[in-house]
Amino acid sequence: MKTACVLLLALLPLPGVAAGQDWARLPGGEFSSVLRYEDTNGVLKVAPFELQNRPVTNAQFLDFVRSHSDWQRGKAPELFAEARYLQHWAGPTDLGGAGPAQPVVNVSWFAAQAYCEAQGARLPTWTEWEFAAAADETRADARKDPAWRERILAWYSRPSNRGLADVGQGPADVNGVQDLHGLVWEWVDDYAAMLVSPDNRDQGDPDKLQFCGAGALSMDDRENYAVLMRVAMLSALQAEDTTGNLGFRCARDI
């Protein structure tokens, strides 16, 4: 891991500001997470932060790899990007049939983090992502509304073999953020801290489900099943992994 970190630092671009990045400001506040921490019982304080309105697109990531060639397909070290990295593109700098406005997928955590660093930003934490994803068009936290939950579950029930829609097709929430649900999964900075046992008899056992070595994770909040699916999916990944339905967006401190 130490070797990977040293190599990653060598590949990280200098901070800058890319064109076409729109940001929403989220106020933060006290928030009840689906992750049940032993010391907080799931109630967390989220500092104000900014989040990109939409997931990063193929066109935006193409601009990044053109100016940071170390992250082009075939050049990025396998330690940071497995063989499927950007496999949906026709070439290292050729989108081919991948729509420029579609969310970029088949990107590793390392590549996503490097992109965000190039914007003077970072990947959001899980808590920040979950805080943002609780909103709907009129409420900062719509999670207790059965209609909201049913709409999200309907999105997740769509066949995964359909082509991805362009970003920005869904309605903006109360903070001005789009596509947190219903388009792609998204990397978060601390994804590796999400340790979920495959044996449901272990769920809620603080001795078996450790979160950052300090808290327990409970997976019995069935009202937030769609969000819990994301936790389970992210917890199964390695930082170099890529999939055809996993993208990202960036965050930054205020």
Side-chain angles (χ1 to χ4, degrees), residues 83 102 105 124 137 157 176-178 242:
Q102 290 176 329
V105 292
E137 294 87 335
S157 67
V177 180
Q178 294 175 277
T242 71

Side-chain angles (χ1 to χ4, degrees), residues 27 31 130-136 138-143 174-175:
F31 178 71
E130 188 186 0
F131 178 88
D136 70 358
T138 59
R139 296 165 292 184
D141 190 347
R143 292 175 298 169
V174 68
N175 297 307

Side-chain angles (χ1 to χ4, degrees), residues 2-14 71 80 110 117:
K2 183 177 180 181
T3 302
C5 290
V6 171
L7 288 172
L8 176 61
L9 287 174
L11 288 174
L12 285 176
L14 295 175
W71 286 103
F80 298 140
F110 288 116
E117 290 277 354

Side-chain angles (χ1 to χ4, degrees), residues 4-228:
C5 290
V6 171
L7 288 172
L8 176 61
L9 287 174
L11 288 174
L12 285 176
L14 295 175
V17 178
Q21 302 292 349
D22 295 321
W23 299 84
R25 178 166 291 199
L26 283 80
E30 198 169 83
F31 178 71
S32 178
S33 173
V34 298
L35 304 183
R36 298 302 175 190
Y37 296 82
E38 197 172 54
D39 53 346
T40 66
N41 197 32
V43 178
L44 306 173
K45 288 185 178 179
V46 181
F49 68 101
E50 290 186 328
L51 190 67
Q52 284 184 323
N53 296 60
R54 304 178 185 94
V56 174
T57 65
N58 284 310
Q60 290 169 331
F61 202 77
L62 177 61
D63 287 342
F64 167 71
V65 299
R66 280 176 171 165
S67 57
H68 302 92
S69 61
D70 286 342
W71 286 103
Q72 291 176 10
R73 191 178 78 194
K75 293 184 178 180
E78 291 183 6
L79 186 63
F80 298 140
E82 52 134 314
R84 294 176 295 178
Y85 176 60
L86 296 177
Q87 68 174 0
H88 63 300
W89 290 8
T93 58
D94 181 2
L95 295 183
Q102 290 176 329
V104 68
V105 292
N106 293 311
V107 287
S108 66
W109 179 92
F110 288 116
Q113 184 74 333
Y115 176 94
C116 292
E117 290 277 354
Q119 321 313 316
R122 55 177 173 78
L123 287 172
T125 66
W126 167 259
T127 303
E128 288 172 336
W129 189 95
E130 188 186 0
F131 178 88
D136 70 358
E137 294 87 335
T138 59
R139 296 165 292 184
D141 190 347
R143 292 175 298 169
K144 293 189 181 299
D145 182 354
W148 179 86
R149 295 196 301 267
E150 289 173 10
R151 183 174 67 172
I152 290 175
L153 286 172
W155 280 332
Y156 284 87
S157 67
R158 294 174 183 170
S160 60
N161 58 355
R162 292 183 183 178
L164 293 173
D166 291 348
V167 304
Q169 300 301 300
D173 67 20
V174 68
N175 297 307
V177 180
Q178 294 175 277
D179 301 327
L180 284 168
H181 300 284
L183 188 53
V184 290
W185 310 97
E186 296 185 14
W187 281 112
V188 295
D189 178 70
D190 50 352
Y191 83 95
M194 300 174 184
L195 303 178
V196 182
S197 170
D199 186 345
N200 62 14
R201 292 172 298 179
D202 294 340
Q203 307 302 339
D205 184 342
D207 294 327
K208 295 181 178 178
L209 297 179
Q210 297 302 314
F211 186 89
C212 292
L217 170 62
S218 171
M219 300 295 289
D220 60 0
D221 187 353
R222 303 194 179 190
E223 291 184 351
N224 288 294
Y225 178 71
V227 175
L228 292 173

